[in-house]
Amino acid sequence: MQTTSTSSIETIYNVDQFRTQGHELIDMLSDYLSKMLKGDEVPVLPNLSPDTLYLHWNQKLKEQQIFHFPSLIQDVLDQSLHLHHPRNAGHQVSSPAPLSVLASLVSDLLNNGMAVYETGPASSVMDRIVIEEVNKVIGYGPESDGIITSGGTLSNLTALLAARAIQAPDEVWTLGTQKKYALMVSEEAHYCVDRAARVMGWGDEGIIKIPTDDQFRMQVAQLPRLLSEARDKGIEVLAVVGSACTTSTGTYDPLNAIADFCEKENIWFHVDGAHGGAAAFSPTHTSKVKGIHRADSITLDFHKMMMVPALTTGLLFKNSHDSYRTFSQKAQYLWAEAEEREWYNMAKRTFECTKRMVSLPVYTMMKAYGMEIFGEYVDTCYALAQTFAAMIQAEPQLELAVEPQANIVCFRFVSAGLSPDQLDALNREIRVQIVESGTFYIVQTQLRGRHYLRTTFMQAYTQEEDLQQLIALVCETGKKLTT
Ligand SMILES: *Cc1c(COP(=O)(O)O)cnc(C)c1O
């Protein structure tokens, strides 16, 4: 393979070299993928410290050797968390479908910025089509709309900025925040909702945490009391955020009940469906998001349960005109309404100016496999969680935190005679040993102040046998540590 140490512009844009390196890269990635899908003999997460890797990459950069692209990539492959591994049960990021990865590569080459139509004609239009198709599945009507944005965090912030622009009585955009505002969200919600309130300058009082029930669902019955308490303090509640589902336990809030409350009180209803909004694609699980179509806005991460690379998020709006109000003054908005909305100039409505062409992989998936593929994927992953939970319940030394509603399962090893603090420490250590062994990758979470092991099943091809092995490994490690 050709190597070079010169960096003249001519060399950089040598197309023959691109072709050769590209073919070689795809071959490497294909070999990697087939090894990962089998999962044998490969640690899910290589056990390497940050300092070791820092040294490695620093030395590499300074080495006098001739540049060799495949070696660089091989090192990256060897040192990464292997999301495609069937025994990766850690976080909620997808193991992208190979075809969606190829589509994503096209975005890197074309680099169309998407801010206005001219800077990304095909992909700007794809944004709209993807949103329209997803909105139909959600149950939104023809007056719905939305944008594609970079991640659930940014999407939730954008939705809440829209809520503020529309619900706040004063002209926040021009005059700044004049009053005290707040949002209501369950205590189990993703931290980015809390962060969004603080970014908007609402402070501690700007986030009203609603207690959850024994299954970690928002206690909707508490909303009226907490709303009047806030009003007594001169705080105006602009939005309620429902989780569909929560990140920690995969629990769905009762969306219809929240919608009833929001309609009655004229409060914006936002659904954070970053992970579990995709249940709408599955005839089996769609009842979990019953009432989602009543939300004013919805966040849905395609890079979680829709098998495409990060960051790809849909921010859906029930009413198209709301999506144009996020970043405009009230007066300016009226003017824009009177003129033309220009749906194809995306940056009018997105936080980003330049944006990757991220709807291309989603569109490709829809075209290649049909919309049904997303429901099938949800079904398979959610079923893995059910199977795993049943295995936990059959094992006396394991305790299930809550019956899983999605593909997230929290549990822990228990041992008679240990104090709650000792149990926390024990489970922390079990995870360390399992992850260091490379056999599985699992994560952890705090529930009601106690430590739990947390698993998310994102690989639709993970086998029951893999799940059994994880159960055995947790029990074995727990027993070893307590004797
Ligand atoms: C993952 C997640 C987020 C954050 O989304 P990013 O795409 O990681 O920014 C927000 N809310 C929920 C419920 C999530 O699961």
Side-chain angles (χ1 to χ4, degrees):
M1 117 121 239
Q2 195 192 338
T3 54
T4 178
S5 56
T6 59
S7 61
S8 71
I9 298 298
E10 213 172 301
T11 314
I12 292 174
Y13 289 99
N14 179 325
V15 176
D16 289 335
Q17 182 171 281
F18 175 72
R19 192 186 306 277
T20 316
Q21 289 178 331
H23 280 292
E24 199 164 356
L25 177 67
I26 294 296
D27 282 342
M28 272 182 89
L29 293 182
S30 303
D31 291 345
Y32 166 83
L33 204 53
S34 75
K35 193 162 113 186
M36 283 312 144
L37 294 177
K38 283 194 215 101
D40 326 318
E41 310 304 325
V42 192
V44 188
L45 174 69
N47 190 9
L48 298 159
S49 78
D51 289 335
T52 309
L53 288 192
Y54 176 76
L55 220 78
H56 171 86
W57 289 104
N58 232 340
Q59 274 171 2
K60 284 271 169 197
L61 193 61
K62 281 152 202 161
E63 266 172 17
Q64 288 305 309
Q65 277 170 12
I66 293 171
F67 173 68
H68 185 235
F69 184 50
S71 336
L72 189 153
I73 298 303
Q74 191 58 54
D75 278 358
V76 174
L77 295 178
D78 291 344
Q79 298 172 8
S80 294
L81 170 63
H82 305 304
L83 293 189
H84 289 89
H85 199 298
R87 292 197 291 277
N88 164 45
H91 293 287
Q92 300 156 273
V93 188
S94 80
S95 37
L99 183 64
S100 77
V101 175
L102 295 177
S104 188
L105 174 65
V106 177
S107 168
D108 283 342
L109 181 72
L110 294 181
N111 216 18
N112 276 206
M114 308 277 298
V116 294
Y117 176 70
E118 290 178 7
T119 57
S123 42
S124 297
V125 174
M126 277 182 184
D127 273 16
R128 176 173 171 177
I129 294 170
V130 164
I131 291 284
E132 282 175 355
E133 293 305 314
V134 172
N135 280 357
K136 276 184 226 159
V137 173
I138 289 292
Y140 269 173
E143 63 294 338
S144 65
D145 205 335
I147 55 164
I148 302 284
T149 190
S150 312
T153 300
L154 192 60
S155 177
N156 284 334
L157 173 62
T158 309
L160 292 164
L161 288 169
R164 187 182 67 174
I166 292 159
Q167 300 288 122
D170 53 352
E171 270 272 13
V172 177
W173 198 252
T174 40
L175 304 173
T177 307
Q178 306 289 306
K179 297 195 171 73
K180 282 183 174 179
Y181 296 123
L183 58 83
M184 300 174 117
V185 67
S186 107
E187 60 189 357
E188 291 295 327
H190 193 274
Y191 74 90
C192 71
V193 177
D194 179 291
R195 188 175 280 186
R198 292 170 196 279
V199 167
M200 290 189 289
W202 298 358
D204 282 339
E205 283 187 321
I207 173 131
I208 301 169
K209 295 248 166 98
I210 313 299
T212 54
D213 64 15
D214 57 352
Q215 292 189 60
F216 303 98
R217 283 178 307 213
M218 181 194 282
Q219 290 185 26
V220 181
Q222 306 252 14
L223 289 173
R225 180 180 60 82
L226 291 165
L227 176 65
S228 63
E229 270 179 31
R231 284 179 176 160
D232 288 347
K233 284 191 263 180
I235 299 168
E236 181 131 7
V237 175
L238 298 184
V240 181
V241 179
S243 301
C245 51
T246 63
T247 304
S248 50
T249 56
T251 302
Y252 287 86
D253 281 341
L255 303 182
N256 257 328
I258 303 174
D260 289 342
F261 172 80
C262 288
E263 274 170 22
K264 179 161 172 277
E265 300 293 344
N266 184 30
I267 296 175
W268 187 272
F269 178 26
H270 175 67
V271 170
D272 181 1
H275 180 90
F281 289 100
S282 154
T284 317
H285 296 286
T286 191
S287 61
K288 289 173 178 160
V289 290
K290 213 164 163 187
I292 195 170
H293 65 288
R294 296 171 66 191
D296 296 290
S297 54
I298 302 166
T299 287
L300 185 64
D301 271 354
F302 302 155
H303 61 260
K304 284 185 179 153
M305 294 303 288
M306 289 172 70
M307 293 175 281
V308 297
L311 290 162
T312 311
T313 302
L315 170 55
L316 321 174
F317 285 91
K318 184 166 68 184
N319 294 304
S320 178
H321 55 90
D322 289 344
S323 72
Y324 290 86
R325 296 180 62 177
T326 319
F327 302 110
S328 66
Q329 301 166 24
K330 283 202 165 63
Q332 191 188 16
Y333 161 70
L334 291 174
W335 169 80
E337 184 80 2
E339 294 287 310
E340 205 184 346
R341 286 199 200 141
E342 296 181 341
W343 62 265
Y344 42 82
N345 289 331
M346 294 302 167
K348 286 194 163 183
R349 294 183 285 162
T350 60
F351 208 110
E352 301 98 321
C353 173
T354 305
K355 193 178 80 173
R356 295 186 81 249
M357 302 159 62
V358 288
S359 54
L360 172 59
V362 186
Y363 185 97
T364 305
M365 291 290 285
M366 287 177 174
K367 177 68 188 158
Y369 305 113
M371 292 297 271
E372 305 76 35
I373 196 70
F374 302 116
E376 253 177 66
Y377 174 72
V378 166
D379 286 349
T380 313
C381 294
Y382 281 28
L384 281 170
Q386 286 296 336
T387 307
F388 189 58
M391 289 177 184
I392 291 169
Q393 280 174 313
E395 183 55 62
Q397 293 229 264
L398 299 180
E399 177 195 289
L400 183 67
V402 62
E403 189 67 43
Q405 293 182 24
N407 51 336
I408 299 170
V409 184
C410 298
F411 67 108
R412 60 183 186 159
F413 184 84
V414 287
S415 184
L418 291 188
S419 72
D421 284 349
Q422 285 171 323
L423 274 183
D424 285 352
L426 174 63
N427 280 281
R428 204 171 279 127
E429 185 55 28
I430 290 173
R431 188 189 96 89
V432 168
Q433 295 207 359
I434 289 176
V435 172
E436 280 182 358
S437 78
T439 335
F440 281 89
Y441 181 62
I442 61 172
V443 294
Q444 57 197 351
T445 192
Q446 295 280 324
L447 299 174
R448 310 248 188 269
R450 304 270 57 126
H451 203 83
Y452 282 82
L453 303 171
R454 179 172 170 276
T455 50
T456 308
F457 299 101
M458 303 291 291
Q459 289 67 33
Y461 42 81
T462 291
Q463 300 292 313
E464 223 173 290
E465 195 182 286
D466 296 312
L467 305 180
Q468 258 146 8
Q469 279 183 27
L470 178 53
I471 297 276
L473 186 60
V474 171
C475 290
E476 192 184 299
T477 314
K479 280 176 198 153
K480 191 182 71 194
L481 286 166
T482 44
T483 50

